[in-house]
Amino acid sequence: MEIVAVIPARFASTRLPGKPLLSETGRPLIQHVVEAARRSTRLDRIIVATDDRAIAEAVAAFGGECAMTRDDHPSGTDRVAEVAEGLPEAGIIVNLQGDEPEISPQALDLVIALLENDPEASMATLATPIRSEEDYLDPSCVKVVCTATGQALYFSRSPIPYHRDGRPDSASSHPLAYLHLGLYAYRRDFLLRLATLPPSPLERIEKLEQLRVLEAGHRIAVGFVDEPSVGIDTPDDYRRFVERWRAGGGD
């Protein structure tokens, strides 16, 4: 069974319109994401999923594979599921965000291995230590708590776990909490079922899709990496990415 990465990419973005096509490096951002995915040792195919013709043309121009999708999907997960429906040969679908040009091949390989090594898990994702109190308290930084064997117990925008006796020193070797990273691997059949489930109560409260999975009683395997990759959400994020890319020699 194939392992396929699907990269949802849309033109519209509140803070950074046309993000996948930004090309100050001489390559569109979506090309950087595809090239990063190609460094994984485990992926058999990489497909960009979009409803925008200009993005599809850009992907074709650099030799990537693209699938056109409907334009009414409420989330990237639904867009990925539409593509997965046409991939009966796929066993695992990796959902890689289209604004992650610096995703590491090790992270991609790890999220796939988690799912392969845990037959009870329906999906897998990653987390990294939070050592900054600012990130711990920031509701845009989603926290995850897990069992000792790496199964997700809960995801929240609130600071969890709550340190009742006072938060530990953020400079200590023990992290304040764990930051959830938005990289997912799904068993294909489960992804197709997930796309048919209505939003769950906790999901509606926290605005976190992964809570739909936990509320439905499914298992999420969580792996840990030392550092997060940096997503591109704002013009400043993109400017800093371009600076890092140039400083690194433009590879």
Side-chain angles (χ1 to χ4, degrees):
M1 300 292 281
E2 285 189 339
I3 301 172
V4 181
V6 179
I7 305 172
R10 61 191 186 97
F11 189 89
S13 171
T14 303
R15 290 184 288 181
L16 196 54
K19 178 165 55 175
L21 300 179
L22 295 174
S23 302
E24 287 186 31
T25 64
R27 306 175 199 171
L29 181 64
I30 191 64
Q31 182 174 351
H32 286 286
V33 180
V34 170
E35 289 173 349
R38 286 173 176 168
R39 298 185 185 105
S40 165
T41 63
R42 304 300 315 282
L43 293 172
D44 298 303
R45 286 175 76 181
I46 301 163
I47 304 171
V48 176
T50 188
D51 60 1
D52 186 86
R53 184 60 59 186
I55 293 174
E57 290 173 354
V59 172
F62 66 76
E65 183 177 0
C66 190
M68 294 298 296
T69 64
R70 304 197 318 267
D71 62 2
D72 60 348
H73 286 302
S75 73
T77 302
D78 295 293
R79 196 177 305 281
V80 171
E82 181 186 344
V83 176
E85 192 170 5
L87 300 171
E89 71 282 4
I92 292 176
I93 303 290
V94 177
N95 181 348
L96 170 59
Q97 302 302 310
D99 59 4
E100 293 272 1
E102 296 171 293
I103 189 74
S104 75
Q106 292 81 12
L108 289 164
D109 291 350
L110 173 58
V111 78
I112 293 164
L114 287 167
L115 203 52
E116 290 178 326
N117 295 335
D118 186 348
E120 300 300 317
S122 298
M123 59 181 281
T125 191
L126 300 180
T128 192
I130 293 177
R131 304 198 184 278
S132 157
E133 185 167 3
E134 180 182 2
D135 289 344
Y136 176 68
L137 298 175
D138 186 348
S140 68
C141 294
V142 176
K143 276 67 71 173
V144 59
V145 291
C146 302
T147 68
T149 55
Q151 300 159 39
L153 289 170
Y154 194 66
F155 298 85
S156 182
R157 298 184 184 278
S158 296
I160 58 170
Y162 178 75
H163 296 270
R164 191 198 67 174
D165 297 327
R167 287 188 285 277
D169 182 356
S170 60
S172 75
S173 59
H174 186 74
L176 291 169
Y178 286 92
L179 175 71
H180 174 237
L181 306 178
L183 175 67
Y184 299 98
Y186 304 90
R187 301 194 193 281
R188 174 183 174 270
D189 291 347
F190 171 74
L191 174 60
L192 298 183
R193 291 199 304 275
L194 176 62
T196 68
L197 296 177
S200 67
L202 290 173
E203 175 187 0
R204 287 194 295 267
I205 292 169
E206 296 255 21
K207 300 298 187 289
L208 297 174
E209 287 183 49
Q210 57 271 40
L211 292 177
R212 187 187 314 179
V213 177
L214 294 183
E215 280 194 88
H218 298 283
R219 181 157 148 173
I220 302 176
V222 181
F224 300 92
V225 295
D226 290 335
E227 298 290 340
S229 60
V230 180
I232 310 298
D233 292 320
T234 67
D236 281 346
D237 291 340
Y238 183 68
R239 175 184 54 78
R240 288 189 287 268
F241 161 67
V242 172
E243 290 172 353
R244 290 192 298 273
W245 183 82
R246 289 173 176 163
D251 289 331

